[in-house]
Structures are given as structure tokens and as C-alpha cells.
Amino acid sequence: MRVCVVGAGGREHALAVALGRTAEVVVTPGNPGIPGSTPKPPEEVDADLFVIGPEVPLVDGLADRLRAAGRLVFGPGADGARLEGSKVWMKKVLAGAGVPTAAHGVFDRVEPALAFLDSLPPPWVVKTDGLAAGKGVLVTSDRREAADDVRAKLSGQAFGDAGRRVVVEEGLDGPELSLLCLCDGRRAVPLAPAQDFKRLGDGGSGPNTGGMGAYSPVPAAMLGVRATQAGPEIIAEVVERAVEPTLHRLRALGIDFRGVLYAGIMLTPDGPKVLEFNVRFGDPETQVVLPRTEGDLAGLLAEAAAGALRTDPSFSPDAAVTVVLAAEGYPASPRTGDVIDGLEAAATRPGVSVYCAGVGRATDGRLTTAGGRVLNVTALGPDLDQARRRAYAGVVEISWPGMQYRRDIAASALEGAKA
Ligand code: AMP
């Protein structure tokens, strides 16, 4: 089978590697660090299966255009992708499906939004309706910051048109879980759970980012559950109470959702509640979930794309940890064009794979930084502790001026697992 992966980041590199176990893979547009990258647009690539990585082309209807040309596509059409493209619409679908989520209001004017803020206890949450590259959410207990954020978003100043409508919602509390499910329109099959790290700095300090690292599997203790065997029960509960009702509701709306439904869940004292739905593989969760899959991933995604997901995914017992290496100035204004040293040395470390996200190539052939999140250093190991050590052993091989990364990826999971 020949598979075309659409996208240009670390997620697409990880997809290409995992799909490449059983298929020939091309990546469009890819980047200079991803083998098999082609500048040809997806419409001009010849492949048996198209796997679309990022949300923007999905929301723009790329899957519809490819399907109209008779292609087999893993990824929802623009109708289903709206679940991620509009948080307001997502909330409507959840309400129709009876799926628990945070209480909220929708506003396009400042005064009613501020009045609603005042009706809720802190912390407050302000979200852009539209896509904001994972950065459109503010969670704060500072009333002034919340109000300033409402104004900045609604004025279009902070996120352009994506922010001209906002969702203001109650702050929820509890451990968070990302669950990616493969869907064939009717059936949702969960992949191994992962936990990601959204803040730039250690201990959850600093600004929100697209994601600074992740690990999988997630010890039950991290989910506020004592017995380790309770893990699968939580996943089953999330699938039954959040993912399946959403998929069925989409179907009732005439939407045949074939792709990834990725539920961002908070495990509150009142049960799991949905924070968001994404409609594609998470980045960087994919970089720890896919290396743990075994068998024919390309075949599995082809089944889902064809509307007949029969095979269940299987996972190795190994743990995976990924650490994102970001450019100086990320997330506000990353500096680009620095030469990356040590990439090959890192990749020869035991268990380590380096996925290229924001990289370019200098005229002398060397790889350079070309985006905010530059590399994902991922390691597999027999347990989280060893996967973590291996990942950081890879990280220290790599350098460029101003490189930044978190030192505490998966550290709390180890503490949690011991507790
Ligand atoms: P989202 O993009 O909606 O998942 O939001 C990004 C992050 O903001 C989540 O991973 C949570 O950590 C946080 N968040 C979102 N909604 C809420 C909420 N209602 N209460 C508390 N934290 C939230």
C-alpha cells in the first residue's frame, strides 16, 4: 500500500514512521527532516490512502475534495471537522448528544461576557470559538486578566476572526486525559491514552503552547485512581459517555466521521467532562502513542477510512516519552535559521527517535530551525522511568542557540506511579 501523509510537523513524521512499517509513505509537504517529503500538493499525489494530519486542511475541506476525486481518506470532511473548527458548534453537538462538559456561555460582545464571568466563581476560562493553533484558551483566577482577554479576543486583536466570538466557561478541576479514538463513522476504537504538557515552563509555568511533551501509557495514579487495573475502566467510561454519543450524534446530523476523534477530558469529581474535541491526531501525543502501536497501522487506518474498522489496534507494553525542543522566543516569536547540532548522535541513542517538526535546510545542507517547535525527541523504554531517561539522554546531544525545553516531562507520572 502507498500512503500519503498530509502535513509538515513532528506528528506527520511520527505518522510516516509508524505507517512505514507496512506501507510505502510519502509526506506532503513534509519538511527537510522527514524522508519521503514531496512538494506536490495532495491532489497530485498518487496513493491508496491519504492520512491528513493538521486541523486546518480538514476544516478547509481537503478530505472532501480528495474523496470527490475517488480517494480513500482517513480524516473527516469539513462538516465533521467543525467539531474542532468551532467550539460553539462543538458545545451544541455535545448538548445534543448528552455529553457532560463545562457550563458555558457564548458571546460576541464584551459587556454580556463580563457579566457572565461575574456569575461564575474563579477560575475562569475564556476560549476563542475558532482555531487558534492550540493557544486560544485562557484559564485564570485573575478577574482582570480574564476581562482583558475577553476584550483582546473579541476585538480581533489577539486571534483575528477566530476570536470574535468567545466561549466563557466554568473552570473545572481534576486530572486531564487525552484519548484518541479511531472512527469509521459508526465505531470508535480507543488508542492508548497519553498525557501532554501545554505550558512552556517546568511545573506548568509560563505561557500556553501547542504542547511541550507527552508520555504514554498513563499510570492509573495520574488519573486519580488507586488500583492500576482501573485504567481500562476509565477509558471505557470515556468512550461510552463521551466519544460514542458524539459520534452517534454526528451520524444523526448526517455526518459520516472517519478519522480521529480526540477527546480532551477532565476527570472531575462528578465524572469525566469534555474540555474539547479535536478531529485529528494530537501533536505531540501522536509521537508517543504511535511508536507504541504494533502491527499494520496503515491497514487499520485504511479500514477506518473505508467505513469498516474491523481490526483492533494493539500496543506494545513499552512506555514512550517525547520532549519537544523549541526555538528561542517560542511561543510568542520564535527565532528561526539556527543550525541544529547533534541530531544524528541523538538518534543513535538506545530507544530514541527524533521527529522533525519545524526544520529547514541551509544552503550548505545542514538542518536549521524553521518554526517554534523544532524537534520531538522520543524514546521507548520498558517503563516510563527508562523511556524518560532515554529521551533526555537524546535531548542533551542536541543543541542550537536559544534551544528551550521542559526538564519535567513525565516526571510527575513517575511520582504519581510511586504514590
Ligand atoms: P482546550 O484547547 O479546550 O483543551 O484547552 C486547553 C487547556 O486548557 C486544557 O488542556 C485544560 O488544561 C485547560 N482547560 C480548558 N477548559 C478548561 C476548563 N473548563 N476548566 C479548566 N481548565 C480548562
Side-chain angles (χ1 to χ4, degrees):
M1 193 189 327
R2 189 173 151 88
V3 183
C4 175
V5 174
V6 179
R11 164 185 49 209
E12 287 73 30
H13 196 170
L15 273 163
V17 171
L19 291 164
R21 295 197 302 253
T22 54
E24 184 195 334
V25 180
V26 318
V27 185
T28 169
N31 69 52
I34 306 179
S37 293
T38 172
K40 272 191 197 173
E43 290 87 346
E44 289 174 24
V45 174
D46 188 24
D48 307 301
L49 172 69
F50 288 76
V51 178
I52 303 174
E55 60 276 20
V56 171
L58 290 166
V59 171
D60 287 348
L62 177 61
D64 302 307
R65 293 194 295 281
L66 291 169
R67 285 194 181 104
R71 310 296 204 162
L72 187 63
V73 184
F74 183 81
D79 52 3
R82 221 177 141 200
L83 209 54
E84 181 165 355
S86 167
K87 284 202 159 47
V88 174
W89 192 72
M90 178 204 70
K91 289 283 195 182
K92 279 192 195 142
V93 173
L94 294 188
V99 172
T101 185
H104 68 284
V106 177
F107 304 95
D108 53 18
R109 288 192 309 117
V110 172
E111 290 315 319
L114 298 187
F116 186 69
L117 269 183
D118 290 332
S119 75
L120 296 173
W124 298 283
V125 184
V126 183
K127 301 183 175 183
T128 58
D129 175 37
L131 292 179
K135 295 171 204 153
V137 176
L138 175 78
V139 183
T140 182
S141 293
D142 179 338
R143 164 73 173 70
R144 209 162 124 189
E145 192 186 11
D148 288 348
D149 191 60
V150 165
R151 287 191 196 93
K153 280 174 176 157
L154 288 179
S155 68
Q157 204 186 314
F159 294 98
D161 286 344
R164 288 192 196 274
R165 201 155 54 142
V166 295
V167 175
V168 176
E169 64 183 40
E170 64 172 332
L172 299 175
D173 197 22
E176 273 186 56
L177 175 70
S178 302
L179 191 65
L180 285 77
C181 296
L182 303 181
C183 301
D184 69 356
R186 291 187 167 81
R187 196 173 159 228
V189 179
L191 297 176
Q195 232 164 16
D196 69 341
F197 294 76
K198 286 257 187 267
R199 298 280 179 165
L200 182 68
D202 286 357
S205 59
N208 235 340
T209 70
M212 293 300 291
Y215 65 87
S216 174
V218 182
M222 289 306 291
L223 306 177
V225 180
R226 289 234 169 72
T228 42
Q229 65 270 29
E233 284 162 25
I234 289 215
I235 291 161
E237 189 183 353
V238 170
V239 172
E240 272 164 35
R241 288 179 56 177
V243 182
E244 285 176 347
T246 303
L247 188 62
H248 297 154
R249 178 70 192 148
L250 290 174
R251 195 156 191 87
L253 294 169
I255 298 170
D256 187 4
F257 192 103
R258 300 181 188 184
V260 171
L261 261 185
Y262 158 151
I265 301 286
M266 198 163 264
L267 301 169
T268 75
D270 304 328
K273 294 195 179 176
V274 169
L275 298 177
E276 64 167 345
F277 265 116
N278 294 326
V279 299
R280 34 83 196 173
F281 286 105
D283 186 347
E285 293 88 333
T286 304
Q287 288 88 311
V288 288
V289 172
L290 292 189
R292 298 187 57 229
T293 56
E294 291 175 326
D296 183 9
L297 183 68
L300 198 64
L301 300 192
E303 284 183 9
L309 186 51
R310 288 187 201 92
T311 315
D312 281 333
S314 65
F315 288 89
S316 100
D318 280 351
V321 171
T322 192
V323 180
V324 172
L325 306 186
E328 183 174 306
Y330 178 74
S333 50
R335 191 178 71 202
T336 59
D338 289 306
V339 172
I340 302 168
D341 276 326
L343 210 148
E344 292 77 14
T348 57
R349 287 291 195 140
V352 172
S353 306
V354 182
Y355 300 125
C356 294
V359 305
R361 199 181 285 286
T363 44
D364 64 3
R366 291 186 297 175
L367 290 179
T368 56
T369 62
R373 293 188 294 169
V374 178
L375 299 174
N376 314 136
V377 181
T378 303
L380 283 168
D383 55 34
L384 268 179
D385 185 27
Q386 293 190 61
R388 179 171 194 278
R389 285 172 201 271
R390 287 175 166 189
Y392 280 102
V395 167
V396 297
E397 297 283 357
I398 298 174
S399 64
W400 67 80
M403 174 177 114
Q404 44 173 345
Y405 63 91
R406 278 181 68 156
R407 270 77 175 164
D408 65 345
I409 303 301
S412 56
L414 298 176
E415 291 307 310
K418 277 187 226 141

